[in-house]
């Protein structure tokens, strides 16, 4: 089983300081990489959040955003930012003078600027501890992992189809390879006869030429290695997903592409060349897909 590196998960908790919400989003990345956003006063728990994320997410760029809704909290605890309030009042006065507006700035106008009112520092994280944030993070990360696993199932189905197509192309190459040697032998024999008219063909020398061509065009080793890469790829797809396999799959695809290039260079046959081109197209699709595999 494989996992995609694209996923999303969220979780919420009610606390004395307000309602906490954590959103986790993941995208492609070669390693585990995090970007955390937390409200003021919560930065001391960022390491605990990161460690909790790692329990469910092994690889990818992880964006985690923690927010807190304090609307349900007791507003009696709120304090007024007088400096900010004076700034807003002065701005309203200036606006009145510059635009020659009627009326005077009042409390009703100022109360619309919500950032004038803020909770005391002690109330920002009241009732919140590391255990609460770890529990919240684990839930959001688990949901994200489950989404990545579901996407991974779809990726696995597509990758399997691509491998099947590559295998079919190899079947064509394997069946065609010996035929082209026989055809080349017959072509050489006819060419020699045409050039020497009725002179007897030197079968021994002709056999040596065919043997030389057979050695130069031999693709058996490439096909054997290619099928081994395919088998290892399938084993990685159906593993227990306890470790990231994206890098391993990337290496195998790279080796498949190398073998396909060698087969194409030794082809000297239209059918094999066509099959090799089709194989390389499927390999490129495999490469694109595994960019999103954990």
């Amino acid at each position: 089983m494989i996992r995609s590196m694209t996923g999303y998960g969220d979780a919420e908790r009610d606390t004395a300081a307000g309602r906490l919400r954590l959103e986790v989003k993941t995208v492609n990345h070669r390693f585990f990489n995090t970007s955390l956003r937390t409200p003021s006063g919560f930065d001391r728990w960022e390491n605990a959040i990161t460690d909790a994320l790692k329990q469910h997410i092994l690889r990818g760029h992880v964006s985690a955003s923690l927010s807190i809704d304090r609307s349900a909290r007791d507003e009696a605890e709120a304090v007024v930012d007088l400096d900010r309030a004076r700034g807003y009042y002065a701005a309203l006065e200036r606006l009145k003078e510059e635009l020659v507006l009627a009326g005077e700035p009042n409390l009703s106008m100022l109360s619309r600027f919500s950032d004038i009112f803020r909770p005391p520092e002690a109330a920002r994280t009241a009732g919140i501890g590391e255990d609460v944030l770890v529990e919240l993070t684990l839930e959001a990360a688990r949901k994200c992992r489950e989404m990545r696993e579901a996407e991974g199932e779809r990726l696995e189905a597509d990758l399997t189809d691509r491998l099947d197509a590559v295998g079919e192309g190899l079947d064509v190459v394997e069946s065609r390879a010996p035929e082209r040697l026989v055809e080349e032998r017959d072509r050489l024999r006819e060419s020699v006869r045409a050039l020497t008219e009725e002179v007897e063909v030197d079968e021994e020398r002709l056999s040596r030429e065919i043997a030389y061509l057979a050695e130069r065009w031999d693709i058996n080793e490439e096909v054997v290695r290619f099928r081994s890469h395919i088998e290892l790829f399938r084993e990685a797809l159906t593993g227990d997903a306890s470790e990231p396999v994206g890098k391993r799959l990337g290496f195998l695809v790279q080796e498949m592409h190398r073998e396909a290039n060698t087969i194409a260079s030794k082809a000297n046959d239209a059918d094999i060349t066509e099959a090799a081109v089709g194989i390389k197209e499927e390999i490129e699709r495999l490469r694109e897909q595994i960019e999103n595999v954990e």
Side-chain angles (χ1 to χ4, degrees):
M1 186 181 87
I2 62 172
R3 284 193 287 263
S4 167
M5 282 195 284
T6 301
Y8 173 85
D10 60 5
E12 296 184 353
R13 289 290 185 282
D14 285 320
T15 70
R19 186 165 184 79
L20 284 174
R21 177 178 175 81
L22 179 66
E23 292 186 338
V24 176
K25 302 175 183 178
T26 61
V27 293
N28 300 1
H29 198 276
R30 292 180 61 192
F31 309 102
F32 178 87
N33 178 265
T34 56
S35 174
L36 301 182
R37 293 178 57 191
T38 58
S40 175
F42 286 79
D43 53 334
R44 63 182 180 273
W45 291 308
E46 289 186 354
N47 287 338
I49 292 173
T50 299
D51 290 342
L53 289 170
K54 289 180 178 179
Q55 294 188 39
H56 288 285
I57 301 170
L58 303 177
R59 182 169 170 245
H61 179 76
V62 184
S63 298
S65 178
L66 180 68
S67 61
I68 184 166
D69 180 4
R70 304 182 188 276
S71 60
R73 188 181 48 79
D74 185 2
E75 292 301 330
E77 296 178 351
V79 295
V80 178
D81 187 336
L82 291 176
D83 290 336
R84 192 181 297 271
R86 290 189 185 99
Y88 282 134
Y89 185 85
L92 290 171
E93 283 281 7
R94 182 179 177 185
L95 188 64
K96 173 180 176 294
E97 293 175 4
E98 292 288 340
L99 299 181
V100 192
L101 298 174
E104 297 292 335
N106 55 36
L107 182 60
S108 176
M109 293 180 184
L110 289 176
S111 65
R112 296 175 184 175
F113 299 99
S114 59
D115 54 345
I116 291 176
F117 307 97
R118 57 181 176 79
E121 288 301 317
R124 288 182 180 274
T125 59
I128 300 174
E130 182 175 311
D131 56 338
V132 173
L133 287 170
V134 167
E135 181 184 347
L136 185 75
T137 304
L138 289 175
E139 180 181 346
R142 176 183 56 77
K143 290 180 179 178
C144 182
R145 187 203 70 212
E146 290 172 351
M147 180 176 177
R148 285 157 65 105
E149 289 174 348
E151 179 64 20
E153 291 181 4
R154 290 186 284 272
L155 281 176
E156 181 179 338
D158 183 74
L159 292 172
T160 299
D161 289 343
R162 302 298 177 196
L163 286 179
D164 290 343
V166 169
E168 291 171 3
L170 279 179
D171 291 341
V172 172
V173 170
E174 272 193 303
S175 63
R176 178 59 187 161
E179 293 177 358
R180 82 192 196 285
L181 286 176
V182 174
E183 291 175 1
E184 184 64 15
R185 180 200 63 192
D186 294 343
R187 187 192 68 78
L188 284 174
R189 180 179 283 111
E190 290 302 319
S191 296
V192 170
R193 284 177 177 169
L195 290 172
T196 59
E197 296 181 351
E198 299 301 323
V199 178
E200 186 71 21
V201 176
D202 186 341
E203 290 292 341
E204 182 178 350
R205 184 172 182 179
L206 183 61
S207 296
R208 288 199 300 270
E209 290 294 326
I210 293 297
Y212 169 73
L213 288 176
E215 182 178 356
R216 191 176 68 179
W217 293 351
D218 181 47
I219 56 175
N220 182 64
E221 291 184 5
E222 287 78 8
V223 171
V224 170
R225 286 196 297 267
F226 207 136
R227 292 200 182 279
S228 175
H229 298 329
I230 292 175
E231 186 62 28
L232 290 173
F233 199 105
R234 291 187 188 277
E235 289 177 4
L237 288 182
T238 57
D240 60 7
S242 60
E243 296 180 359
V245 297
K247 292 182 181 179
R248 190 189 318 164
L249 295 181
F251 170 76
L252 291 172
V253 165
Q254 178 180 326
E255 292 304 302
M256 288 183 201
H257 192 266
R258 190 196 310 276
E259 303 300 349
N261 279 336
T262 304
I263 289 172
S265 68
K266 291 183 175 182
N268 200 41
D269 178 80
D271 292 338
I272 292 179
T273 299
E274 182 180 354
V277 170
I279 289 172
K280 289 198 286 187
E281 288 176 350
E282 293 298 336
I283 290 174
E284 186 57 34
R285 295 187 182 101
L286 282 172
R287 190 199 307 276
E288 292 173 358
Q289 284 289 43
I290 63 172
E291 289 294 322
N292 197 40
V293 173
E294 184 179 64

